[in-house]
Amino acid sequence: MSKSLKRVTKALQDVGLSITPIEMDAETRTAQQAADTAGCALDQIAKSIIFGGQNSGTAIMFITAGGNQVDTAKASAVAGEPLGKADAALIRAQTGFAIGGVAPVGHLNPIRAFIDPRLLEFDVVYAAAGTPRHIFPIAPQQLVEISGAQHSDFIMISK
């Protein structure tokens, strides 16, 4: 078991959840791959999108429904600082995860987090479990509680 997967499993156990990450038969690097492999709706995939705070220099996480995109201007307003692309080194240093397997829990260091209200419309959502082949099912409200994410409007409106 990888170090990343162990951290996610431990983070779930530490808050009293008996959730076991699922190893998928195919990679789940994208929300569409994860939804196809899990056999669920695209919006049931909880994507962990990481931006870099341009003032704080820290990573900031936006947990969004699989079919939604983060509006950088709205996300910057929510975060209270301009946001830019987080490079792989910042993501790895703060979360301990590689791009494509960033989980919403089990980070090496605390991270500010915001969540897309669309995820709360489902009984269960699926999030990355630290590797490109592992996901875990969780009730959205439990995800909010264990990630410390704040409900926020940061989604791009399609035209």
Side-chain angles (χ1 to χ4, degrees):
M1 182 183 298
S2 76
K3 290 179 189 177
S4 295
L5 181 58
K6 284 180 187 175
R7 275 200 330 275
V8 172
T9 302
K10 183 175 180 342
L12 295 169
Q13 291 172 345
D14 286 352
V15 294
L17 296 175
S18 57
I19 297 172
T20 302
I22 305 162
E23 183 171 5
M24 306 309 286
D25 292 333
E27 284 194 351
T28 56
R29 287 183 187 272
T30 69
Q32 190 63 62
Q33 287 174 329
D36 291 347
T37 304
C40 68
L42 178 60
D43 280 353
Q44 281 182 272
I45 301 302
K47 300 186 296 191
S48 297
I49 308 296
I50 308 289
F51 286 93
Q54 293 183 345
N55 296 340
S56 65
T58 62
I60 300 170
M61 180 172 62
F62 292 83
I63 305 169
T64 186
N68 286 342
Q69 290 185 317
V70 176
D71 180 311
T72 308
K74 286 182 180 180
S76 294
V78 166
E81 67 179 296
L83 299 176
K85 183 177 180 181
D87 65 21
L90 174 63
I91 294 169
R92 175 75 78 175
Q94 189 152 356
T95 69
F97 299 114
I99 295 171
V102 176
V105 298
H107 302 140
L108 292 178
N109 298 291
I111 189 167
R112 288 176 43 211
F114 302 91
I115 193 162
D116 178 355
R118 171 73 172 123
L119 290 166
L120 302 175
E121 297 174 18
F122 298 98
D123 292 332
V124 99
V125 296
Y126 298 85
T131 82
R133 294 183 72 94
H134 289 85
I135 60 175
F136 67 93
I138 189 167
Q141 192 55 47
Q142 288 178 318
L143 180 58
V144 169
E145 291 167 11
I146 66 173
S147 67
Q150 300 173 24
H151 299 243
S152 304
D153 176 17
F154 55 82
I155 297 305
M156 185 178 296
I157 303 299
S158 299
K159 295 183 179 184

